[in-house]
């Protein structure tokens, strides 16, 4: 009887240890994914392109975008393509939507607002799936609760003392 109890206890402890290891592995995967998510859009060229996009008025036609941006038009499309490539990664759950939103909520919404008319024109012209994942991400970003991500980090995390404070401070306030 005592031996059976010890064996059962050993199995329970083994399962608990295994579950803890899986949880730690999942966390490590999220951290790694977050770091990889930063790379393509954290270059000087990407920063310059985002400033160009920010400076554009909304609702420009494709012709107006080409005229305003000239040779930089291709670079702006490359930036939109980066967001497009992140959509399936988020949809598959490889990067949690909350993590994506912390990094790219603003830029995603900005790109969608500035290029929406152009994208819709191109879709009507025969490219129906152009930047479909950018649109999907923008719609997800718009659907997120207002609050946490709309407060600048220097204000939202002003009482931060350690990484243990992160969950409490990152919760969207309503």
């Amino acid at each position: 009887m005592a031996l059976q109890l010890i064996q059962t206890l050993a199995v329970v402890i083994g399962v608990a240890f295994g579950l803890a290891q899986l949880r730690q592995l999942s966390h490590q995967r999220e951290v790694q994914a977050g770091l990889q998510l930063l790379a393509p859009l954290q270059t000087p060229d990407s920063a310059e392109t985002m400033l160009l996009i920010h400076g554009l008025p909304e609702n420009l036609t494709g012709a107006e975008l080409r005229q305003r941006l000239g040779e930089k038009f291709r670079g702006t499309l490359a930036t939109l393509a980066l967001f497009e490539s992140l959509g399936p990664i988020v949809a598959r759950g490889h990067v949690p939507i909350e993590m994506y939103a912390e990094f790219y909520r603003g830029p995603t919404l900005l790109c969608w607002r500035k290029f929406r008319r152009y994208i819709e024109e191109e879709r009507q012209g025969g490219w129906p799936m152009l930047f479909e994942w950018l649109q999907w991400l923008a719609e997800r970003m718009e659907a997120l609760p207002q609050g946490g991500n709309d407060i600048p980090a220097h204000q939202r995390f002003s009482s931060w003392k350690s990484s243990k404070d992160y969950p409490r401070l990152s919760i969207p306030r309503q």
Side-chain angles (χ1 to χ4, degrees):
M1 175 81 167
L3 181 60
Q4 190 176 22
L5 180 62
I6 291 172
Q7 288 174 334
T8 302
L9 188 59
V11 168
V12 169
I13 290 172
V15 168
F17 179 75
L19 291 173
Q21 289 293 98
L22 284 174
R23 187 173 184 183
Q24 183 179 13
L25 182 63
S26 175
H27 175 72
Q28 288 173 343
R29 190 179 118 219
E30 281 188 20
V31 169
Q32 186 64 32
L35 293 173
Q36 290 176 350
L37 188 64
L38 283 173
L41 289 165
Q42 299 298 320
T43 66
D45 287 342
S46 291
E48 181 181 347
T49 300
M50 288 308 300
L51 287 173
L52 281 172
I53 293 170
H54 184 269
L56 293 170
E58 292 182 23
N59 207 32
L60 293 177
T61 65
E64 292 168 331
L65 283 168
R66 285 182 180 87
Q67 180 184 9
R68 281 183 175 261
L69 294 170
E71 64 186 45
K72 298 195 185 262
F73 180 71
R74 289 178 56 198
T76 61
L77 292 183
T79 298
L80 270 62
L82 284 172
F83 286 111
E84 179 76 4
S85 67
L86 293 172
I89 294 168
V90 173
R92 290 179 182 149
H94 297 311
V95 173
I97 190 86
E98 298 82 8
M99 181 184 285
Y100 177 88
E102 286 180 347
F103 288 119
Y104 297 125
R105 182 174 193 254
T108 301
L109 291 171
L110 178 72
C111 287
W112 177 243
R113 281 196 317 264
K114 302 292 181 158
F115 282 84
R116 182 178 186 155
R117 182 171 178 187
Y118 163 73
I119 293 167
E120 289 172 349
E121 285 175 3
E122 292 295 316
R123 287 176 178 174
Q124 290 173 358
W127 199 347
M129 294 176 9
L130 179 66
F131 296 123
E132 62 186 331
W133 286 107
L134 170 63
Q135 179 178 357
W136 180 84
L137 284 168
E139 289 170 355
R140 300 296 77 72
M141 297 300 99
E142 289 170 344
L144 287 175
Q146 296 293 314
N149 285 334
D150 294 333
I151 300 169
H154 68 278
Q155 294 172 358
R156 188 167 32 128
F157 289 90
S158 63
S159 63
W160 182 93
K161 302 290 184 225
S162 75
S163 60
K164 293 177 183 174
D165 293 328
Y166 185 83
R168 173 179 57 86
L169 297 172
S170 65
I171 295 171
R173 299 177 202 148
Q174 302 214 10

